Amino acid sequence: MKFLLLGILSFLLPLAFIKLCYAIGTISVIRRTKGALFVSTSKAKIEAILDELEGQANFHLVDLGCGDGRFLRAVYRRLGVAGEGYEINPWAYFLARLKNILTGMPIKIYRKNFFEADLSKYDVIFFYLFPDLLLDLAPKLRKEAKPGAIFISANFPLPGFKPYKVLKVEDPIYFYRV
Ligand SMILES: C[S@@+](CC[C@H](N)C(=O)[O-])C[C@H]1O[C@@H](n2cnc3c(N)ncnc32)[C@H](O)[C@@H]1O
């Protein structure tokens, strides 16, 4: 009985700790993220985006609100492109840095609000954000993105932009070119 209890506790305590870190990380930034929670893009969606980017070589990539960095690592694994990510949720940032260290990938993660970033150097700008935040991001992209840059928006359309392609993988994925 004692061993069973210890077994259950050794499983439940780390799980509770992870949930607590997630909750604290989310609550600490909820106003700035306008509800954009740390939710990861699925493997199927990432693979579909990578299929689209396959032909591109040596592009400068950024994930705005990169979560645990899984999109950036998938791009590096398949296309050899080491992108950059911005993340303000401390728990997501910690996981992204930890996973990069464990996998030895040369991906840069900044613990910074992407509204303070200069987006003019990027050829491909990926984001999975909620509509309220996209309303603020659209004018920044219009002002700063370089001609020819591609925006990829998971799940929600970018207000004021017309996509050249929409993929349907579970949810829509919108592709835009400046
Ligand atoms: C839905 S998650 C997407 C995570 C990752 N891009 C993916 O596709 O797996 C959105 C992330 O954006 C982050 N975020 C929202 N607003 C941000 C901001 N202004 N600056 C940096 N990160 C932000 C949130 O903390 C959250 O982790």
Side-chain angles (χ1 to χ4, degrees):
M1 188 64 189
K2 201 172 153 191
F3 286 117
L4 183 68
L5 209 64
L6 274 176
I8 292 172
L9 276 181
S10 64
F11 173 75
L12 285 183
L13 281 180
L15 205 67
F17 177 72
I18 290 170
K19 295 271 179 209
L20 186 69
C21 290
Y22 180 92
I24 291 172
T26 302
I27 291 165
S28 68
V29 292
I30 195 85
R31 288 177 74 157
R32 277 182 292 161
T33 62
K34 293 199 172 176
L37 302 175
F38 164 34
V39 180
S40 299
T41 299
S42 72
K43 199 167 184 296
K45 284 185 202 164
I46 292 175
E47 289 304 319
I49 296 168
L50 291 179
D51 289 345
E52 291 298 316
L53 294 177
E54 190 91 65
Q56 309 248 352
N58 288 329
F59 55 91
H60 210 155
L61 167 75
V62 68
D63 182 348
L64 303 179
C66 65
D68 69 358
R70 69 182 55 197
F71 176 74
L72 295 168
R73 284 190 302 280
V75 175
Y76 184 75
R77 265 195 301 271
R78 189 151 139 197
L79 307 179
V81 170
E84 298 175 15
Y86 288 84
E87 181 52 65
I88 48 172
N89 179 319
W91 176 239
Y93 170 80
F94 167 76
L95 289 178
R97 290 297 306 270
L98 181 70
K99 289 180 182 187
N100 281 357
I101 290 167
L102 293 178
T103 54
M105 294 199 189
I107 290 159
K108 287 201 186 102
I109 311 284
Y110 306 107
R111 189 175 168 214
K112 189 173 169 182
N113 187 333
F114 58 68
F115 282 103
E116 292 162 16
D118 174 9
L119 303 182
S120 64
K121 62 179 173 178
Y122 300 108
D123 305 296
V124 178
I125 302 179
F126 170 73
F127 40 90
Y128 170 20
L129 299 167
F130 290 177
D132 279 2
L133 213 51
L134 293 177
L135 267 177
D136 296 341
L137 180 62
K140 180 174 170 67
L141 288 171
R142 200 177 285 287
K143 194 168 143 206
E144 289 179 18
K146 65 158 99 161
I150 293 172
F151 310 148
I152 304 169
S153 180
N155 290 41
F156 303 105
L158 187 62
F161 286 81
K162 194 171 162 18
Y164 67 86
K165 182 177 265 192
V166 182
L167 292 180
K168 186 88 176 69
V169 184
E170 298 153 8
D171 307 288
I173 305 168
Y174 301 86
F175 290 77
Y176 305 88
R177 199 186 296 273
V178 182

